[in-house]
Amino acid sequence: MQNESSGSVIRKSGGGTNGRVELQASSYKEVQKMAGEEEDDFVCLDESFFINDNYQLTTFTFGNEVIQLYCLQSASTDFDLTGQLVWPGAMLLNDYLSKNAEMLRGCSVIELGSGVGITGMLCNRFCHNVLLTDHNNEILNKNVELHTSSESSHCSTGLTAEKLEWGNSDQIDGIMERYPKGFDLILGADIYILFTTVKQLLQIRGKGHCKFILAYVSRAKTMDAMVISEANQHGLMIEEVAGTRSVVGNLGGVIFEITLQ
């Protein structure tokens, strides 16, 4: 599927597929050509059909902390918006942090894959500096603006958001240049493929001076094994935090601490 000015194309498969619908990525010229051959087989849809930007101000409570932010109420089919609702891993991570708030006090924190920024908003109540990152920082900026304009004076004024696409070396290098002293904590929820970036960030402070806290939600046994394997292959030590296994929705979750070996 490719969203262009011409819209997206859905191809309806014929006999033998039981009416199965397939998405087919095509350029506008290709669509025109194929539409001329099989005009009745194609329906052109405007890209807005796939986009849900109906952000709603929503209230969440973690322990004694009440947080309001803008987010979606359901998942979107659009890639750029998939992080714009609160996922189970974020609920797990915030529950853990709210019960262990002392570990946040006075710290500098970077969160990877922040989504709508709900974890960063909680950390902002306790931390000295909080940097939220994601590939789509539109809603992050919206929520940062909401909180920096409305939070009470005891909250950090160091709440910021930056664009960080997974695997983009220029963007991670830029963050490391702007934060040469690194961070006390790296946070992540429902992210599984960022161990190269995590290792880079851990190495700024060095062994024993920074750790990555990962809220992991199990969706497949193969993924469970892969997360541990990937961490080890990157020279990282991954340990389950005792007493953190829980059920989030209908999914099993756990908190991991990941450090340099």
Side-chain angles (χ1 to χ4, degrees):
M1 179 177 65
Q2 181 174 350
N3 289 338
E4 298 182 320
S5 59
S6 60
S8 299
V9 178
I10 294 180
R11 179 162 188 163
K12 296 178 288 187
S13 298
T17 61
N18 296 319
R20 176 168 53 90
V21 178
E22 297 178 350
L23 296 181
Q24 178 168 322
S26 305
S27 68
Y28 182 62
K29 291 183 179 179
E30 290 172 330
V31 172
Q32 286 183 314
K33 180 179 177 181
M34 289 186 289
E37 296 172 354
E38 303 178 37
E39 183 174 356
D40 293 336
D41 286 345
F42 291 88
V43 179
C44 290
L45 301 172
D46 185 83
E47 65 179 13
S48 63
F49 178 85
F50 296 95
I51 295 177
N52 176 8
D53 58 0
N54 184 28
Y55 302 125
Q56 298 179 28
L57 188 61
T58 308
T59 301
F60 298 87
T61 302
F62 303 96
N64 295 323
E65 304 299 328
V66 178
I67 298 172
Q68 283 192 317
L69 47 69
Y70 292 103
C71 63
L72 298 181
Q73 304 303 305
S74 60
S76 169
T77 57
D78 183 82
F79 174 76
D80 283 339
L81 297 177
T82 53
Q84 309 307 285
L85 71 163
V86 177
W87 290 92
M91 300 295 289
L92 175 63
L93 182 56
N94 277 30
D95 181 66
Y96 171 72
L97 293 175
S98 67
K99 294 174 180 176
N100 298 274
E102 288 301 319
M103 70 186 297
L104 298 174
R105 294 193 186 279
C107 287
S108 59
V109 170
I110 181 172
E111 185 185 14
L112 305 176
S114 298
V116 298
I118 191 168
T119 297
M121 305 308 163
L122 175 63
C123 291
N124 189 46
R125 308 283 176 91
F126 307 97
C127 295
H128 170 69
N129 182 280
V130 179
L131 174 60
L132 309 180
T133 67
D134 211 322
H135 72 93
N136 182 342
N137 61 347
E138 175 185 351
I139 189 63
L140 276 181
N141 288 328
K142 186 179 182 72
N143 282 326
V144 166
E145 181 180 356
L146 172 68
H147 279 256
T148 54
S149 63
S150 63
E151 291 284 15
S152 58
S153 59
H154 76 275
C155 295
S156 166
T157 57
L159 179 65
T160 56
E162 291 197 26
K163 187 179 184 67
L164 178 58
E165 297 172 328
W166 297 354
N168 189 314
S169 58
D170 290 337
Q171 291 174 354
I172 187 61
D173 288 347
I175 288 174
M176 293 172 71
E177 289 176 5
R178 288 186 289 277
Y179 297 87
K181 295 182 180 180
F183 303 88
D184 298 303
L185 294 173
I186 306 164
L187 302 177
D190 274 329
I191 58 173
Y192 313 117
I193 58 174
L194 289 178
F195 286 115
T196 298
T197 298
V198 168
K199 185 174 183 178
Q200 288 178 282
L201 292 169
L202 288 172
Q203 288 175 327
I204 299 175
R205 289 283 182 93
K207 185 176 180 179
H209 299 285
C210 178
K211 60 184 175 182
F212 174 39
I213 299 177
L214 171 65
Y216 177 77
V217 175
S218 177
R219 291 178 173 83
K221 290 183 178 180
T222 54
M223 184 67 74
D224 299 349
M226 189 193 78
V227 169
I228 296 174
S229 174
E230 283 292 310
N232 291 333
Q233 288 180 22
H234 282 80
L236 303 175
M237 182 169 60
I238 180 169
E239 296 182 327
E240 178 179 328
V241 178
T244 61
R245 284 194 173 269
S246 61
V247 176
V248 187
N250 63 338
L251 301 172
V254 66
I255 300 293
F256 287 116
E257 283 192 2
I258 299 173
T259 56
L260 293 172
Q261 289 186 355

